Amino acid sequence: MAETSTPDSLDLAEQITRVFRVMDESQKFVAEQKKLMAEAAKLERDRALAPWQVALAGMTAGAAFFGAGVAFVKLLGP
């Protein structure tokens, strides 16, 4: 009965090692979660800005076509 109530030093060291291992795994899990949350926020931001990027690209292309048309008319005009 005395053996069950007093823990051995090896059992205690094993338990301490197990606790540190679990804490390390927990910290790794938290770091991975933070990384995934940052990636999700970036994707959400990109998704929100996508229509503006398309609009600006369209306006730029329109301005380029307009400039090309003006240059072509000046080339062929009097």
Side-chain angles (χ1 to χ4, degrees), residues 7-21:
D8 289 332
S9 62
L10 292 178
D11 290 339
L12 185 60
E14 181 181 330
Q15 289 177 0
I16 291 172
T17 304
R18 187 179 312 133
V19 167
F20 282 139
R21 189 179 318 126

Side-chain angles (χ1 to χ4, degrees), residues 34-69:
K34 286 182 181 180
K35 178 182 153 193
L36 290 174
M37 288 172 58
E39 185 178 343
K42 180 185 178 296
L43 290 174
E44 179 66 26
R45 186 174 51 248
D46 289 346
R47 186 187 66 79
L49 292 177
W52 290 104
Q53 290 175 341
V54 171
L56 288 175
M59 290 187 337
T60 303
F65 284 132
F66 183 76

